[in-house]
Amino acid sequence: MKIAILGGGHGCYAAAADLSEAGHEVRLWRRDADALAAVRQAGAITLKDARGSREVPIALATADIAEALRGAALIVIPTPAIAQQDIARAMAPHLVDGQVVFLPPGTFGSFVMARAVKEAGSRADVAWAETGTLPYLARKHGEREVNVTIRAIRLPTGVYPARKEAQALEVIRQAYPSVHGCGDALSGALMNAGPVIHPPLMVMNAAPLQHFERWDIHNEGTQRAVRDVTDRLDQERIAVREAFGQGAPHYPLADHYNNDRWMYGDAHKQLVKSGDWRENIDLYAHRYITEDTELGLAFLASAARYAGVDAPIAHGLLAIVGGFLGRDLRQGPRTFERLGLAGLDQAELTKRLHDGE
């Protein structure tokens, strides 16, 4: 299958190498041509995982998004949600009917990007899908080298518009067999683990993050009190899902720490053992704040408001981050209010998510 992968981060390089090795024709697009030069010149990415290190040829590495998208049945965008609007505008003139766009994860980006593409003038009949996490725990070790610690074994995926669910999942499963449907785009967004696991880690590790040059928030930073807050935030997420009529499995985040039933299986020990997450984290600019808190947690809090679910942990963490950022995050760009959804009743919302705008 011809697959376009858009972006230049850890997940993008992992996807490009992994899907190429699986036999797909992969086109990797990155806006920064200079940063992509090493991959383009070598024609390959070095993939490291439990099987060792090997060179994986990439069919195409390009800074021309039209070239990357041409003929692609599947478009994978494992980039931070803060980049989705710009990528949507860049994609819009080149999309064609029948393509499937997969956001792992999405932060409700399936809805947001579909709207942005339409506003940019595209009338292509495209299916958008988003899942609860990246398919990989991965970190780049060089200009064209990526280390994959573990791969997801369960990827609950919502589709926008939901009427295209069967078509979208059939295409995505050719690349990611672990994908399974979980309903519409809202359900997919409320599977997103980032806004649950990362804001408590950032807020409750704020002092060591600013004091130490490198800090592993998934090791020293994940103590009992942090876990307790994370578990309660996740209970709020599940309560919101249930208020929207979304059923199990909810993939409670506690399973990430306690057993092998989460999206990555039994992954936490391997994540810590790899050492890849002992890093310098800028408390103000890291994607755990700009993506998972300012967008993702604000979205979750607004969904709770809409559904009438009491969510003190979500709102409290959002207020604390707003405190050190110096701005009110309650009306951010991914909230129901800013997206124009707060005025719809639940039947109208469900219909819009099913049919598309």
Side-chain angles (χ1 to χ4, degrees):
M1 179 167 61
K2 294 181 179 179
I3 301 175
I5 296 172
L6 308 185
H10 309 295
C12 299
Y13 277 45
D18 201 52
L19 296 176
S20 291
E21 190 171 55
H24 300 286
E25 182 184 321
V26 169
R27 296 88 170 275
L28 174 63
W29 171 82
R30 187 172 184 178
R31 191 190 309 271
D32 187 340
D34 291 339
L36 189 61
V39 177
R40 190 173 62 250
Q41 290 164 11
I45 290 174
T46 303
L47 174 62
K48 300 195 298 184
D49 58 15
R51 292 169 48 203
S53 177
R54 62 267 189 202
E55 292 288 290
V56 179
I58 306 298
L60 177 68
T62 179
D64 182 343
I65 198 167
E67 190 177 24
L69 294 177
R70 191 175 300 120
L74 177 63
I75 302 163
V76 182
I77 310 180
T79 55
I82 56 174
Q84 289 171 347
Q85 292 272 21
D86 283 345
I87 291 175
R89 287 188 285 267
M91 292 168 65
H94 312 294
L95 292 171
V96 298
D97 292 353
Q99 289 180 310
V100 175
V101 182
F102 184 44
L103 310 176
T107 318
F108 208 47
S110 52
F111 179 88
V112 170
M113 291 187 76
R115 177 181 281 181
V117 161
K118 184 176 180 180
E119 290 173 349
S122 173
R123 294 298 176 264
D125 187 15
V126 173
W128 304 78
E130 60 183 272
T131 189
T133 189
L134 269 172
Y136 316 92
L137 290 176
R139 281 292 185 269
K140 290 164 68 177
H141 284 180
E143 288 183 311
R144 63 177 194 89
E145 182 177 286
V146 65
N147 182 60
V148 174
T149 300
I150 200 166
R151 292 167 175 81
I153 59 174
R154 305 173 185 93
L155 288 170
T157 299
V159 176
Y160 179 78
R163 60 183 171 81
K164 290 183 172 292
E165 180 181 33
Q167 170 207 343
L169 295 181
E170 181 181 1
V171 172
I172 298 167
R173 282 198 191 105
Q174 294 178 53
Y176 295 107
S178 55
V179 159
H180 70 85
C182 71
D184 60 26
L186 177 58
S187 178
L190 292 173
M191 285 292 191
N192 192 347
V196 176
I197 192 171
H198 294 138
L201 289 173
M202 297 295 278
V203 168
M204 300 180 77
N205 285 278
L209 284 174
Q210 292 193 316
H211 179 74
F212 295 107
E213 183 178 353
R214 295 166 66 84
W215 182 254
D216 189 339
I217 59 175
H218 297 287
N219 189 11
E220 296 93 341
T222 304
Q223 301 302 321
R224 184 69 257 172
V226 180
R227 280 287 317 282
D228 287 344
V229 170
T230 303
D231 287 347
R232 284 164 177 76
L233 177 59
D234 202 39
Q235 289 166 11
E236 294 177 359
R237 176 188 69 88
I238 292 170
V240 172
R241 284 184 54 79
E242 291 174 339
F244 282 107
Q246 298 160 2
H250 299 296
Y251 290 97
L253 200 57
D255 287 346
H256 172 58
Y257 298 98
N258 298 334
N259 55 59
D260 64 355
R261 294 193 297 269
W262 202 60
M263 298 182 211
Y264 291 118
D266 190 5
H268 185 68
K269 294 183 183 66
Q270 295 181 60
L271 183 153
V272 171
K273 184 180 178 181
S274 74
D276 275 351
W277 279 261
R278 182 173 299 282
E279 56 190 341
N280 178 268
I281 292 180
D282 185 331
L283 193 61
Y284 300 92
H286 196 276
R287 72 169 188 85
Y288 291 169
I289 293 295
T290 60
E291 176 181 21
D292 291 329
T293 306
E294 292 189 70
L295 299 184
L297 187 60
F299 174 79
L300 174 59
S302 74
R305 286 195 298 272
Y306 176 96
V309 172
D310 188 27
I313 304 297
H315 287 96
L317 289 168
L318 205 60
I320 292 170
V321 175
F324 65 70
L325 292 180
R327 54 183 180 272
D328 187 349
L329 303 183
R330 289 174 294 181
Q331 301 298 325
R334 291 286 169 99
T335 58
F336 269 52
E337 293 84 359
R338 288 284 294 278
L339 293 173
L341 302 177
L344 304 178
D345 64 31
Q346 197 156 327
E348 292 170 327
L349 176 63
T350 300
K351 187 176 188 305
R352 180 170 296 186
L353 292 174
H354 180 271
D355 297 342
E357 288 193 287

